[in-house]
Amino acid sequence: MAFKHRTDIDLLPSYKQGKPAPKSNRHTYKISSNENPFEPLASVKAAIVDDALSHINRYPDMRGWGVVERLAKETGVAPENICLGCGSTEVITQLVQLLAGTGDEVVYPWRSFEAYPIIVATAGARSVQVPLTSDGHHDIEAMIAAITERTRLIIVNNPNNPTAVPVSDADARTLLDAVPDDVIVLFDEAYFQFNTDPNTAVAMELFQEYPNVVVAQTFSKAYGLAGLRIGYAVAPEDVIDGMRKVALPFGVSRVAQTAALASLDAYDELNDRVQVIISERERVLRALRSQGWTIPDAEANFFWIQFGEKTEEAKQYFIKAGLSTRVFAGEGIRFTVGEAAANDLVIQTCSKLKTVGLLV
């Protein structure tokens, strides 16, 4: 860049959207973005048409009060403990901007959600990336050891993206007991509806017990509203007040708010879809493990295979099979659980990789 600007931004990677399905004369599948494979419910689409579309010439309710009050009832907290954002990514951005600036540090596991380093750097703060354990879990003791006087926020990604492994309740409490009360611990739970681990940490329970817990959740995944961008944070009231000050004005559209309320009304129907995805995930994992693959416990709508130096070679086989995946060069590949046919292709392609010596 020739014009004057923040040179530290030059060092940042751009966030990359999941690649579209490969072009082919046969049916191909996009399983690179952890999107819900089901189209929106008929009742949700009807609500959007009946209410929201006729008001797009007007600004939305900036507080999103209808959704906030409904979420408060659903979660058992006060409306003052909830704020909305354009997906959970934006509420995390709000939180980082509120808490951290030049000279401050944000501790989080790595590898994890690719937006974390971008969000932290754009706030002017420093990322402290704590390597995962060899099996893809948070290294809680290392995260505790990384806390300093400059630490302003600690992020727990449960289940972790891209490894899909959960954080246990015991580990979460070990961390929280070691963190000073004036340092916020964020539980990023974008995929919590898919987490069936009986020992997992439940952030809303921890929020009721610890004064420094913030919870980020979203309508993008289980509710299938990724294209409308609506998520929310549950936090102490003073934290919510601060987050609202740095929030994008009118960031959450009326369409998104209407769809969120309609989705909450249709929770049972949506949960049936979640159960289908969980069942498909378990089917795929059983098949792959029977082939000999070593795959971490997956408690999200995706799973992870660590290919290491074989990652690029493996990626080409999936492209040829008609699958776009999330590839992390030199590390591994994340696979979204998609339509049954897409999942079958993953199983078939992994079987082929085994025959050519790429089994890990």
Side-chain angles (χ1 to χ4, degrees):
M1 294 184 186
F3 54 88
K4 294 179 180 180
H5 66 285
R6 283 177 52 185
T7 55
D8 57 328
I9 300 298
D10 294 341
L11 304 176
L12 282 178
S14 297
Y15 185 86
K16 296 180 180 179
Q17 185 174 7
K19 291 185 177 181
K23 293 182 179 180
S24 175
N25 55 9
R26 58 178 172 169
H27 198 96
T28 59
Y29 300 91
K30 179 187 178 187
I31 56 169
S32 56
S33 293
N34 294 342
E35 295 157 330
N36 192 314
F38 295 101
E39 70 174 36
L41 293 174
S43 60
V44 175
K45 290 191 284 188
I48 292 172
V49 172
D50 292 343
D51 174 66
L53 289 185
S54 61
H55 295 87
I56 59 175
N57 58 314
R58 303 292 185 183
Y59 287 115
D61 173 9
M62 195 165 74
R63 183 76 167 88
W65 201 247
V67 180
V68 167
E69 288 188 320
R70 178 64 180 275
L71 287 171
K73 291 178 182 178
E74 298 286 341
T75 58
V77 303
E80 291 75 20
N81 293 122
I82 297 175
C83 68
L84 304 182
C86 299
S88 55
T89 302
E90 203 230 329
V91 296
I92 295 170
T93 302
Q94 295 170 10
L95 184 65
V96 172
Q97 289 180 339
L98 170 66
L99 300 177
T102 303
D104 298 328
E105 296 177 347
V106 178
V107 176
Y108 54 86
W110 196 254
R111 173 166 296 277
S112 195
F113 182 35
E114 294 166 89
Y116 292 158
I118 299 171
I119 294 169
V120 172
T122 52
R126 174 177 173 267
S127 286
V128 179
Q129 298 179 344
V130 179
L132 299 171
T133 63
S134 59
D135 57 357
H137 287 78
H138 289 50
D139 189 333
I140 297 299
E141 293 302 326
M143 292 180 73
I144 293 171
I147 299 170
T148 71
E149 287 296 320
R150 295 182 295 279
T151 304
R152 295 295 178 268
L153 175 65
I154 300 164
I155 302 176
V156 176
N157 191 206
N158 185 28
N160 186 56
N161 179 9
T163 59
V165 297
V167 177
S168 71
D169 181 70
D171 278 351
R173 292 176 184 277
T174 296
L175 176 64
L176 285 165
D177 289 340
V179 174
D181 287 348
D182 59 354
V183 175
I184 294 293
V185 179
L186 167 68
F187 286 82
D188 182 356
E189 286 193 331
Y191 303 93
F192 79 96
Q193 293 95 338
F194 303 98
N195 189 347
T196 61
D197 182 358
N199 298 313
T200 189
V202 178
M204 286 306 304
E205 293 178 1
L206 298 171
F207 174 78
Q208 300 290 353
E209 298 180 42
Y210 291 85
N212 56 337
V213 167
V214 173
V215 185
Q217 297 180 353
T218 183
F219 285 90
S220 295
K221 313 304 179 184
Y223 293 99
L225 301 182
L228 290 181
R229 313 309 302 132
I230 178 168
Y232 57 96
V234 180
E237 184 176 349
D238 57 343
V239 175
I240 292 295
D241 287 342
M243 291 173 66
R244 288 176 58 202
K245 291 177 182 179
V246 298
L248 177 69
F250 305 109
V252 182
S253 70
R254 182 172 179 136
V255 175
Q257 293 178 39
T258 299
L261 287 170
S263 296
L264 290 169
D265 288 339
Y267 178 81
D268 289 344
E269 191 175 356
L270 286 166
N271 187 55
D272 288 343
R273 293 179 166 192
V274 168
Q275 298 309 312
V276 170
I277 293 170
I278 291 172
S279 178
E280 275 294 286
R281 178 188 73 199
E282 297 308 307
R283 179 180 74 87
V284 175
L285 292 182
R286 283 193 302 270
L288 296 185
R289 286 169 177 157
S290 71
Q291 293 175 4
W293 295 92
T294 300
I295 302 175
D297 293 335
E299 293 294 343
N301 67 334
F302 57 88
F303 60 93
W304 168 258
I305 299 181
Q306 189 168 312
F307 286 98
E309 62 183 16
K310 300 176 181 178
T311 299
E312 183 62 28
E313 187 177 355
K315 178 188 79 171
Q316 299 304 323
Y317 281 87
F318 292 106
I319 292 174
K320 291 176 183 176
L323 298 164
S324 69
T325 58
R326 191 69 159 187
V327 178
F328 300 86
E331 298 182 57
I333 297 177
R334 188 193 71 193
F335 302 84
T336 302
V337 178
E339 302 92 331
N343 302 330
D344 288 341
L345 267 183
V346 172
I347 295 170
Q348 294 165 17
T349 307
C350 283
S351 178
K352 183 176 294 185
L353 289 177
K354 178 182 177 181
T355 65
V356 297
L358 292 180
L359 179 67
V360 293

